Amino acid sequence: MDSLRIIETGDGSHTLLNTALDETYHSRHGALRESMHVFITHGLLHRLDISAVTTINILEVGLGTGLNAWLTMLEADKHPSVQFHYVGLEPYPVEESVLRQLNYIQPDETKHQTYFNAIHQATWEQASSLTDNFTLKKQQISLQDIEEESHYDLIYFDAFAPNKQPELWEKPIIEKVTNLLAPSGVWVTYSAKGQLKRDLKSLGLQVETLPGPPGKAEMVRTQCT
Ligand SMILES: C[S@@+](CC[C@H](N)C(=O)[O-])C[C@H]1O[C@@H](n2cnc3c(N)ncnc32)[C@H](O)[C@@H]1O
């Protein structure tokens, strides 16, 4: 595993710096703000707005610190009539000693701490019921190696940036992951690279370019028809 350093981002929240890649796990302009903007507001809340659902299956590519999973779990509390099934792919799990130092939780927020701990203590490779309506399955596997038959209503594509991990942004991989979308499924990422948009369009997907989080002009979302 490459070495990781905790750094503070523009909104005061931590992220991890992968020193070998010289790449952070979130935007340096604000980790928490980026996750909320890209994955919760433009991903989860958008998908829940499209049509009423009683179950939502979510796939995250790159579970990392668990920030997106944790924010999703907190949001699930506001939708008690919806069952959330969350699968997080992470070939290089972050060590517990590092996770413990992250500052996402305010000291008086017991529930937030309980949820964060539940995510990280959940057993890998099996679905664990963490709350009445949130199930998590963490899989220690690379996206390239999954042999999935499930389909997802929402996919958070949170790989390292295209210039740092180009293999995850190549068209065959983008095709593989977008093929996992269920009808009306939404695929969302923080990147807005021209090549990515062209590849998504050529795969027959509707591509939306949306305003990005602070420090980033644009981001991309696609929807399966
Ligand atoms: C940008 S960070 C994701 C941050 C994460 N979503 C979070 O909230 O902390 C990219 C993540 O993708 C993981 N990753 C690297 N190679 C991968 C692969 N081949 N398949 C899936 N995930 C991968 C990294 O280990 C890292 O955790």
Side-chain angles (χ1 to χ4, degrees):
M1 166 103 207
D2 297 327
S3 79
L4 297 177
R5 219 173 68 213
I6 295 177
I7 61 168
E8 191 172 309
T9 65
D11 62 4
S13 61
H14 283 160
T15 191
L16 299 178
L17 172 70
N18 177 315
T19 54
L21 284 179
D22 188 27
E23 171 74 346
T24 52
Y25 277 46
H26 308 94
S27 164
R28 290 175 188 261
H29 295 274
L32 201 50
R33 233 167 14 195
E34 178 189 49
S35 285
M36 279 304 297
H37 179 93
V38 176
F39 299 106
I40 303 302
T41 303
H42 290 301
L44 177 60
L45 299 182
H46 172 73
R47 178 61 193 84
L48 292 173
D49 269 355
I50 292 174
S51 56
V53 288
T54 51
T55 299
I56 182 164
N57 292 305
I58 304 174
L59 174 71
E60 178 173 18
V61 177
L63 181 73
T65 63
L67 179 57
N68 295 332
W70 177 68
L71 292 172
T72 303
M73 193 175 168
L74 290 171
E75 195 58 40
D77 270 358
K78 301 178 196 162
H79 304 271
S81 60
V82 181
Q83 287 296 320
F84 286 67
H85 297 288
Y86 198 103
V87 173
L89 306 183
E90 180 50 73
Y92 311 109
V94 180
E95 284 178 18
E96 204 192 320
S97 58
V98 175
L99 293 167
R100 243 187 280 122
Q101 297 175 59
L102 297 171
N103 70 350
Y104 300 139
I105 292 124
Q106 301 301 313
D108 53 342
E109 293 283 9
T110 317
K111 182 176 91 173
H112 291 192
Q113 186 69 64
T114 305
Y115 284 14
F116 194 74
N117 292 349
I119 286 169
H120 291 297
Q121 287 162 6
T123 307
W124 288 83
E125 319 305 337
Q126 78 179 38
S128 308
S129 189
L130 304 187
T131 65
D132 285 348
N133 70 331
F134 190 91
T135 299
L136 173 67
K137 184 177 183 186
K138 300 188 291 188
Q139 291 186 252
Q140 189 171 358
I141 189 168
S142 293
L143 173 62
Q144 296 91 320
D145 296 334
I146 60 164
E147 289 173 12
E148 276 281 346
E149 289 181 0
S150 314
H151 283 91
Y152 294 91
D153 304 298
L154 177 61
I155 300 179
Y156 298 159
F157 196 75
D158 202 8
F160 287 129
N163 61 331
K164 301 291 179 167
Q165 203 176 20
E167 65 276 16
L168 281 191
W169 301 85
E170 283 168 8
K171 190 172 166 186
I173 291 292
I174 296 297
E175 182 171 20
K176 175 178 181 169
V177 70
T178 53
N179 275 343
L180 299 176
L181 285 171
S184 300
V186 168
W187 183 94
V188 68
T189 189
Y190 63 88
S191 177
K193 272 271 204 209
Q195 188 59 51
L196 171 67
K197 291 195 265 187
R198 286 190 290 279
D199 288 344
L200 289 166
K201 278 184 191 150
S202 74
L203 293 170
L205 292 154
Q206 290 172 6
V207 179
E208 282 179 276
T209 304
L210 302 167
K216 194 144 200 323
E218 295 178 337
M219 57 169 277
V220 160
R221 178 170 72 197
T222 69
Q223 193 177 323
C224 187
T225 46

